Every structure is written in C-alpha cells, then in structure tokens.
Amino acid sequence: MGRESIEGELSTPLVASGTSSGDHVCANTTDCDDGGENQSGCGSSSATGVVVVSTLVAVSGSYVFGTAVGYSSPAQSGIVDDLGLTVAEYSLFGSVLTIGAMIGAIVSGQIADYIGRRGTMGFSEIFCLAGWLAIAFSKGAWWLDLGRLLVGCGMGLLSYVVPIYIAEITPKNLRGGFTTVHQLMICCGVSLTYLIGAFVNWRILALIGTIPCLVQLLGLFFIPESPRWLAKIGRKKECEAALQHLRGQNADITLEATEIREYTETLQQLSEARILDLFQWKYAHSLIVGVGLMVLQQFGGVNGIAFYASAIFITAGFSGSVGTIAMVIVQIPMTALGVILMDKSGRRPLLLVSAAGTCLGCLLVGLSFFVQDLQTTPILALVGVLVYTGSFSLGMGGIPWVIMSEIFPINMKGSAGSLVTLVSWLGSWIVSYAFNFLMDWSSTGTFFTFSSICGLTVLFIAKLVPETKGRTLEEIQASLNPFSAKK
C-alpha cells in the first residue's frame, strides 16, 4: 500500500455504521453523532465502575501535582527559620520545581510510549516519593533542592500522562468531564496543602505529600492499561480485554475495538515518528492548537497571580490573607462547575467564556493600580483577581490539557505531548521568574499586558480551536490531520 493511500484513509471514518447491544457503551460511529436511527442507544455511554476507579487512581497523581505546587507557600517560614536559608536560597528551592518539571516533560511522551500510561504513572511516583522524603529529612539547602527537583520531574511526567490516560479509557461523551477532573484535583491539592500547612510543620507536610503517591502506586495494580496504547504496540488481545473490562462484561465492544485497531494499524504503516516529524504541514493545525493554547494559558499570567496573589493584594492595599482565602473559596467550585459543563456545553464555549473572564479580571486589577489613589481600588483588585481565578478555573486551567490529549494521532502523541508539556512548563517558569520584575516596572502595565494576551486568547480559540465534544479520538485526529487526502 502506498504512503499516499495510507494517509488518505486516515481522513475518513474507519468503521461503517452499525448498532451496539452493550449495556454500557455503543459504537463510536458517525451515524450515532449525526442523529441516525440508532441514536437513542449511542448517545449515552455511561461510565462503568472500572472507568471511575481508573480515573480516581490516575488523578491521585494530579493531587500530587497540586500538593507540590502548594507546598512552598505554607512551608516558607518554617524552612527558613529551621535551616537558616537566605531569601535567595529559598527562591531557588521554590523555582527548581519548575526546572524539574521541564526535565520530566521532555521525556514524558517517550516514556509513556515505551512503558505505557500506567507504567509511566508508577515511574513518576517513585520520583515524587523520593523527593518528598528528601525534603522531609533534609538537613540543609542541598537536600531540599534535590528533593524539590525530583518532585518536579515527577510532576512533569504526571502533567502529560494523567490526561492522556483518562482520555484514552473513557467513552467519548464523558471524556471531557473525566479529563478535567485532573485540573480539579490539582486545585484540591493546592488548596488542602495551604490549609494543612497552617497547622503542621514543614517536615510533616512533606510526609503528608507522600500519601497520594502511595495511593496511586498501589492503585495502579488494580486498573487496566490504555487500550489504545496496547493496540499501538501490537497487543491486540490485551487491547480488547482491557476495553471489555472498561466498558463492562456485557457490552458489545466490536465496533469500538475495530476502529481503534484499524486506525492504529494504518498509522503504524507510516514511518517511525520523530520529533521533527511534528513540524510537517499535515500536523500544523494540531501543533498550532496544542502549543498555542499552552503558551496563551501561561502568558495570560496565571502563575504570576497564583504565586504572588498575597503580594498583589497587599500592594493594592487589601488584606493578603483574606484575599488568598477568597481565591481558594472561588477556585474549587468553579473548577467543579467546569467539570460538570465540559461534556454538556462543549470545549469551545467554556474556553471562550473562560478566556474572556480572565481578560476582564486582569483589566480590573490593572485599573485598580491605575487609579490607586481612590478608596475603591482594594475592592477592585480583589474582584479582579477573583474574576480571573474563577474564570481560569472554569476552562483555561483544564481544557487545554483535555484538548492536548485529544488532537494528536497516536503515532505522534509521545513527541507532541513532550513538546506541549515542555512549552507549558517553560512558560510557567518565565512568567513566575519575570513577574516581580514586571511589577517593579509597572503594576498597571503588567496587568494590562496580561489582559491583552487573554484577549488574544479569545480570538485564537474562536478562529483555530476545534470542538471535540462527542467525537472519538480517531475522528478528531482524522479531521485535524487530513494528511494528503486533499491532494
């Protein structure tokens, strides 16, 4: 079979329409989405207990992610007092987490392709466990930094593999909501670490950080591997067994298994994927969407606002502690609302509302600094930060990761995932490092700049980001990457 004919096949549906008699899942065919006669049976795939448990085990890693992000704030005074660190030494301790995450991101896709999604989650937790223990028992700055670096490496791996795994095991009509639980658990990890850190010392807090690591490590023995990864490496019988386990023993998985198998087999007839292959024209749309969303997510100012919220409130003349508590109160419910709405309203509407809200929030904070001599400015700063936090949690926090897990073909997912995750962490480091310098330059200018970038995000979403709700991963990837079908 020639290369052009192989590529052309990938732009069309791979399975003919048909019916499914399963109790839990139906065939992921175009007819089901378009209102065919079997629509009543095809539009309401439900989550089995195995899918729910597998997702909960996976997002235990997301909670680890959140605890690592939230740790440095409540631990700061205790670590500095006990170990006698300077401000510069503690700043290094805080920032080395992102450096570790970039290292993990670089190899995340390759590791996930080589040892599987489940194996990669276990591998990442070994890094996290070692890191937390090094922090908890450290006697000086060197061990602290090493532990933080190891936790960061684990985070870089988890930030890629968790949404990928969830996207590959869930039915198409539930995929968005389930994948967004990743972001919800990150928020819970951050918030609960802030809360627990107010009552325990930094060593105990680090030991508490090992608990979700152990939960995931143990849970991985009881959940199936991704059927799509098993199909990719040629383990067809295990792929079908895993899919049957996920969909329920009485479900008819014939058409879904056929679609996964045929799509994967056709892709495997193409040349071995390399990182440079991503930059071919046929992958341009997926790459622009995946990288673009991550760049805009980070340069919209999220980490500057999250890491330095207390300082922002104090600079604006408001109570730092009250403002931070208000942020936590807003963040978790809004993230939960995003999870609920994900597969009802779709990705694009939530992203548009979320990006517009972050634009408004930054604008309000910028205005509060611009007119700082007026008594209303502290309230304006609080409202602006809360609008930004709530809006970001609704969509921009989690949906880019959902879309990243959906838009790349299975043969490119490893390379693409590494690149996109690396871009995200690099952007995170740049914004976190530069934020204080930008605030010294101009508080007003900083937030007006963030507002402008959030405004550009709205245009980017409206023009380039596809709606992926209710479509199989194979349908999404074929439509975004038509290869040479149009020749």
Side-chain angles (χ1 to χ4, degrees):
M1 184 181 288
R3 183 179 179 88
E4 288 191 12
S5 62
I6 294 171
E7 293 174 341
E9 287 181 13
L10 295 179
S11 64
T12 58
L14 296 168
V15 208
S17 62
T19 60
S20 170
S21 59
D23 294 331
H24 298 287
V25 71
C26 60
N28 292 328
T29 63
T30 305
D31 285 347
C32 292
D33 291 335
D34 292 342
E37 63 184 6
N38 299 319
Q39 186 176 6
S40 61
C42 292
S44 58
S45 299
S46 59
T48 62
V50 177
V51 171
V52 173
V53 170
S54 299
T55 301
L56 290 174
V57 170
V59 297
S60 297
S62 310
Y63 187 90
V64 174
F65 187 142
T67 59
V69 172
Y71 178 79
S72 58
S73 180
Q76 181 171 358
S77 60
I79 291 176
V80 170
D81 292 344
D82 290 354
L83 300 182
L85 301 188
T86 64
V87 173
E89 286 175 327
Y90 194 80
S91 296
L92 176 61
F93 170 72
S95 63
V96 78
L97 180 78
T98 311
I99 296 171
M102 284 190 279
I103 295 171
I106 291 171
V107 298
S108 59
Q110 286 71 27
I111 292 176
D113 281 349
Y114 185 68
I115 65 174
R117 301 356 181 179
R118 195 174 61 169
T120 303
M121 286 187 278
F123 186 63
S124 67
E125 292 299 4
I126 293 172
F127 278 95
C128 291
L129 273 172
W132 282 124
L133 291 173
I135 293 171
F137 297 104
S138 61
K139 301 297 184 183
W142 191 86
W143 278 103
L144 274 177
D145 294 339
L146 176 62
R148 188 78 163 162
L149 182 70
L150 290 173
V151 173
C153 290
M155 280 177 57
L157 293 168
L158 289 168
S159 62
Y160 167 74
V161 74
V162 170
I164 289 292
Y165 175 77
I166 298 171
E168 291 181 349
I169 67 168
T170 48
K172 63 179 182 179
N173 63 307
L174 301 174
R175 187 176 60 242
F178 270 68
T179 308
T180 315
V181 176
H182 168 63
Q183 181 67 21
L184 176 61
M185 290 300 287
I186 293 173
C187 291
C188 290
V190 173
S191 300
L192 289 177
T193 301
Y194 281 149
L195 182 62
I196 296 170
F199 300 100
V200 302
N201 69 44
W202 60 276
R203 293 188 190 274
I204 298 298
L205 190 62
L207 290 174
I208 291 172
T210 65
I211 295 174
C213 302
L214 293 171
V215 168
Q216 184 170 61
L217 273 177
L218 294 174
L220 290 173
F221 290 100
F222 302 98
I223 64 174
E225 182 54 89
S226 161
R228 286 175 170 84
W229 180 76
L230 292 169
K232 179 180 182 293
I233 62 170
R235 291 157 63 176
K236 299 176 183 177
K237 290 185 178 179
E238 292 176 58
C239 167
E240 292 182 5
L243 191 61
Q244 189 75 68
H245 190 42
L246 287 162
R247 299 294 179 257
Q249 294 306 311
N250 296 323
D252 183 354
I253 62 165
T254 306
L255 292 178
E256 187 177 5
T258 300
E259 183 174 65
I260 293 171
R261 184 175 62 253
E262 289 189 3
Y263 188 83
T264 305
E265 287 175 352
T266 307
L267 281 171
Q268 287 176 336
Q269 295 179 55
L270 304 178
S271 59
E272 184 74 19
R274 297 168 299 174
I275 189 70
L276 292 178
D277 292 337
L278 269 177
F279 299 95
Q280 299 177 63
W281 178 252
K282 59 189 176 184
Y283 299 124
H285 193 177
S286 291
L287 194 62
I288 290 169
V289 170
V291 173
L293 280 175
M294 291 302 177
V295 169
L296 292 168
Q297 180 197 57
Q298 295 301 328
F299 284 88
V302 58
N303 280 319
I305 292 172
F307 291 173
Y308 304 107
S310 181
I312 293 169
F313 291 130
I314 292 170
T315 303
F318 199 82
S319 168
S321 59
V322 172
T324 304
I325 292 170
M327 282 181 62
V328 171
I329 292 171
V330 167
Q331 191 174 36
I332 294 178
M334 291 300 288
T335 305
L337 180 61
V339 172
I340 295 169
L341 295 178
M342 177 71 66
D343 288 311
K344 296 183 182 296
S345 65
R347 281 56 152 170
R348 271 170 55 89
L350 270 183
L351 274 176
L352 288 168
V353 171
S354 176
T358 58
C359 178
L360 175 60
C362 285
L363 183 63
L364 291 175
V365 178
L367 286 173
S368 74
F369 286 114
F370 185 68
V371 292
Q372 201 163 25
D373 56 321
L374 301 179
Q375 288 185 332
T376 56
T377 54
I379 297 298
L380 193 60
L382 175 64
V383 171
V385 171
L386 293 183
V387 168
Y388 181 94
T389 302
S391 299
F392 185 87
S393 300
L394 182 66
M396 281 301 296
I399 296 178
W401 294 101
V402 175
I403 291 177
M404 181 274 289
S405 70
E406 295 175 325
I407 61 177
F408 292 105
I410 190 73
N411 66 321
M412 301 304 300
K413 196 168 279 189
S415 298
S418 292
L419 176 63
V420 171
T421 309
L422 175 62
V423 166
S424 176
W425 283 111
L426 180 60
S428 173
W429 178 79
I430 291 171
V431 172
S432 302
Y433 182 79
F435 185 80
N436 283 329
F437 297 103
L438 290 171
M439 290 291 282
D440 288 340
W441 161 65
S442 171
S443 300
T444 301
T446 297
F447 282 95
F448 282 170
T449 300
F450 288 155
S451 182
S452 299
I453 293 172
C454 293
L456 288 174
T457 305
V458 175
L459 296 177
F460 179 86
I461 295 164
K463 295 293 184 181
L464 292 172
V465 177
E467 179 56 74
T468 59
K469 169 192 169 188
R471 303 167 69 189
T472 67
L473 296 179
E474 289 71 28
E475 290 167 350
I476 295 164
Q477 293 149 14
S479 66
L480 274 174
N481 306 294
F483 301 100
S484 57
K486 295 183 180 179
K487 292 183 179 178

